[in-house]
Amino acid sequence: MKAAVAERYGPPEVVSVRDVPDPVAGKGQVVVRVRATTVNSGDARIRGCRFPRGFALPGRLALGWSGPRRSVLGVVHAGVVESVGPGVTGVSVGDEVAGMTGAAMGAHAELAAVRADRLTRVPAGVALTDAAAVLFGGSTAHHVLRDVVGPGRRVLVNGASGAVGTAAVQVAHLAGAHVTAVCSERNADLVRSLGADEVVDHGRTSVHDLPAAYDVVLDAVGNLDRRSGRRLLAPSGVLVLAVAGLVDTVLARGQVRAGPWPEDPADFAWLLARLAAGELQPVVGRTLPLAEIVEAHRIVDSGRKVGNLVVTP
C-alpha cells in the first residue's frame, strides 16, 4: 500500500509517500481502507517536533527521540472495513466507519489497522470526506463544551476558523449559547455562517483586550494561558485551553481545564448524527490527494489553514 512516511523530525519535506507492507488486523482490530483522513495541527507538531511549552522532552520520550517512532502519522480516518481480526463482533467487511487512532497513528495511508472498539459507523447519506472533517476538531469541541454551554451562556472561541474553532462555534450555537468568535477578518463571514453572534478581528483587537464577560472561554490557538484566560471570565466562568503548555496542564483545576482530551467514540457518534441531521456543517478548507501530503503539511505550517484539510488516499 501507499503511505506517507516521516522517519525524522523536520519541515514538511521530511514526509514522503512510499510503498509499505499492508497492515494485518490483530486481535480486536479491523483493517480500514482509508477513503479520507486529515492533516491537522497535531500531525504538524509531531512531524516538526514542535510541542507546546514544556512538552519537548516528554514528547520526544513518548513519540521518538530523533524521529517519530510511528513513522506513518495521522489519527483521523473514515473508510470501509477491509478485513476483521479475531474477537471482533458487530463490525463487518464493507461497513463504512470512522474514528481516530490516538498514539498508534497510521491513518495517512491507504490501509490502517485500528481498534474495533474505537470505531463509529458512518450514517447513510454522510460522505466519508465529511465524516473525516468533523472528527479531530469536533470531538475536542464537543467533549470540552458539552457540560458548560447552554441557552444564554456567553462563549468566546479564540481561533474560531480552525478545526477546533469552527466545531466549537457550532457546538456552542447548537446549545443555544451566545458565541463571540475571534479570527481574522477574511474568515468573519464563515464563522458567522456557523453560528457566531459576534466576530472580533484579531488584527484590530487583541483577545487580551476583551472584557471579563464570558461564561466560557475556549482557546484553540495557544496564545492564552491560565492567567490571561481567566481575566476574560465572568464570575464562575470556565477557561478551556485546547493548546496548553506543561505548567498550565499540570496546574489546570477549578475554573481552568486543559488537555489531553480523550478520543471518545460517543463523541464521534454525536458528531456524525448531527451531520446526518444537517445540524452540523463540515468545514473543509482544502482537499488533497495523498500524493500531495507535503503541500498539506505546508498549509498547516503556514498558520492559515481554514477548518480542516482533508487528504484522500
Side-chain angles (χ1 to χ4, degrees), residues 54-74:
F55 278 105
L57 178 58
R60 283 184 177 237
L61 289 174
L63 298 171
W65 190 255
S66 58
R69 194 172 291 114
R70 305 276 187 172
S71 60
V72 179
L73 305 181

Side-chain angles (χ1 to χ4, degrees), residues 234-253:
S236 73
V238 175
L239 170 66
V240 180
L241 300 173
V243 184
L246 179 60
V247 172
D248 283 339
T249 299
V250 171
L251 297 179
R253 58 179 60 88

Side-chain angles (χ1 to χ4, degrees), residues 9-50:
Y9 297 122
E13 291 73 21
V14 302
V15 184
S16 62
V17 177
R18 307 181 194 172
D19 288 309
V20 301
D22 291 357
V24 176
K27 184 177 180 180
Q29 290 186 320
V30 302
V31 170
V32 173
R33 181 161 295 278
V34 181
R35 300 300 189 193
T37 182
T38 62
V39 177
N40 54 57
S41 57
D43 300 318
R45 280 196 295 269
I46 293 171
R47 185 220 73 233
C49 198
R50 297 191 309 269

Side-chain angles (χ1 to χ4, degrees), residues 65-86:
W65 190 255
S66 58
R69 194 172 291 114
R70 305 276 187 172
S71 60
V72 179
L73 305 181
V75 297
V76 172
H77 63 86
V80 180
V81 175
E82 183 98 345
S83 63
V84 177

Side-chain angles (χ1 to χ4, degrees), residues 189-264:
D189 288 342
L190 167 65
V191 297
R192 287 192 186 97
S193 73
L194 300 176
D197 299 284
E198 300 177 48
V199 178
V200 175
D201 175 8
H202 64 64
R204 297 184 179 184
T205 304
S206 170
V207 66
H208 300 281
D209 295 331
L210 296 177
Y214 301 99
D215 300 301
V216 181
V217 172
L218 189 156
D219 175 34
V221 179
N223 60 358
L224 292 176
D225 57 26
R226 69 187 190 283
R227 292 190 177 90
S228 59
R230 288 178 68 175
R231 287 198 291 269
L232 301 174
L233 296 177
S236 73
V238 175
L239 170 66
V240 180
L241 300 173
V243 184
L246 179 60
V247 172
D248 283 339
T249 299
V250 171
L251 297 179
R253 58 179 60 88
Q255 286 182 291
V256 182
R257 302 180 182 184
W261 316 110
E263 297 173 0
D264 189 345

Side-chain angles (χ1 to χ4, degrees), residues 35-37 129 284-289 292 296 299 308-312:
R35 300 300 189 193
T37 182
T129 51
V284 179
R286 291 278 299 275
T287 300
L288 295 170
E292 295 182 30
I299 292 169
N308 297 271
L309 200 161
V310 174
V311 170
T312 54

